[in-house]
Amino acid sequence: LITCHPMGGNSSSTWFHHDEWLDFNMLQSGHSAHDLPNYKMITHDYTLQPTRPCLDGEPRYEDHPVDWKTDKGWFNDFDVRQAAYWGLFAGGFGTTYGCHNIWQMMAPGRGPISAARHNWYDTLDLPGAWDMLHVRALLESRPFFARRPDASLLASPQPQEPGAYLIATRGDDYAMVYSPYGESFTLHMGKISGEQVKAWWFDPRTGTAQEIGVMENQGNKDFDPPHDPHRGNDWILVLDD
């Protein structure tokens, strides 16, 4: 498989989308800000013709200084989850996890690049790395190749906070909605098969799911994720025929 890894804020599609050698598009949403809307870049590449697979090959890395400036803070496990689910639910076929200390193999005797603050072997088990296991387990638990983005599932307006942006994806007999801040939302039902659906809340921090119940698959329905809304209280609603 051949693609091109571009500089930050760019995609291989800018230059090579129509080249026969390109097998899939890779973009780098990068490390310049909290809540960087990588779903917009994925949506752009996903809808290009001819159709090619696409993914965010370099979203924000865990323990990377925001915009390379330590006074802006550091990306944490929520930041990498948010980028992963946004990119995947927008149509990406995969995602990349990165840790700032590990890519440069930060260790005693080596000067830090871009303010790396820990040795690589001390950050192998950051929570965001483990969260990527749950990303994969969730998406592979349902028919993978039937999945596509579908914003028409959402009946309620988007939250005012950019980082709380709701994003939906579905197959023929299942649907998933990511709420980064745990904001409540309303769905148009009947977008997947079945007269009834079973609903679950999937916890992206633990990989566990709690059943909400069985409901009619028609009309509009409200969903309220566990706990009070705040940054980092992200949840995925799962609906099954």
Side-chain angles (χ1 to χ4, degrees):
L1 292 175
I2 303 175
T3 188
C4 169
H5 189 304
M7 64 188 298
N10 288 276
S11 170
S12 60
S13 66
T14 303
W15 305 279
F16 305 119
H17 184 75
H18 296 283
D19 288 14
E20 290 186 2
W21 60 263
L22 187 79
D23 292 308
F24 63 93
N25 277 310
M26 177 183 287
L27 61 91
Q28 179 190 166
S29 59
H31 319 279
S32 60
H34 283 300
D35 307 322
L36 200 69
N38 63 332
Y39 55 85
K40 293 182 178 180
M41 299 179 71
I42 290 288
T43 298
H44 173 269
D45 281 6
Y46 184 85
T47 55
L48 289 175
Q49 295 295 325
T51 303
R52 291 185 186 274
C54 58
L55 87 164
D56 191 345
E58 190 173 338
R60 36 201 174 270
Y61 285 176
E62 195 164 12
D63 210 39
H64 190 296
V66 179
D67 196 26
W68 297 272
K69 298 177 177 65
T70 58
D71 60 338
K72 292 186 176 182
W74 309 77
F75 293 121
N76 60 18
D77 56 314
F78 167 71
D79 294 296
V80 299
R81 289 198 307 272
Q82 180 195 50
Y85 286 107
W86 270 355
L88 288 162
F89 282 22
F93 73 88
T95 189
T96 298
Y97 168 82
C99 174
H100 187 46
N101 312 297
I102 294 174
W103 74 260
Q104 60 187 274
M105 303 307 289
M106 179 63 186
R110 297 176 183 162
I113 300 172
S114 300
R117 57 180 179 171
H118 299 295
N119 295 322
W120 70 268
Y121 44 79
D122 292 324
T123 50
L124 287 170
D125 290 321
L126 289 180
W130 290 101
D131 292 344
M132 296 302 103
L133 296 175
H134 309 321
V135 173
R136 179 172 183 170
L138 175 65
L139 292 192
E140 291 186 350
S141 70
R142 307 296 192 276
F144 185 85
F145 293 107
R147 188 179 63 81
R148 61 270 197 192
D150 191 354
S152 72
L153 281 161
L154 295 167
S156 52
Q158 288 287 348
Q160 293 185 344
E161 194 71 41
Y165 184 85
L166 300 162
I167 194 160
T169 187
R170 70 173 179 88
D172 298 325
D173 57 1
Y174 72 94
M176 300 177 184
V177 181
Y178 179 60
S179 179
Y181 284 17
E183 298 271 6
S184 59
F185 53 87
T186 304
L187 291 189
H188 293 299
M189 305 299 286
K191 297 288 185 176
I192 63 172
S193 63
E195 294 183 1
Q196 294 182 317
V197 295
K198 181 178 285 188
W200 315 77
W201 287 119
F202 181 82
D203 186 340
R205 290 158 293 274
T206 64
T208 59
Q210 57 190 65
E211 184 177 336
I212 301 171
V214 175
M215 59 195 68
E216 296 301 311
N217 190 20
Q218 59 183 349
N220 288 352
K221 285 192 169 50
D222 299 327
F223 295 92
D224 185 19
H227 312 307
D228 294 329
H230 62 270
R231 181 179 175 83
N233 182 47
D234 48 334
W235 291 86
I236 296 98
L237 174 74
V238 182
L239 299 178
D240 286 313
D241 179 345

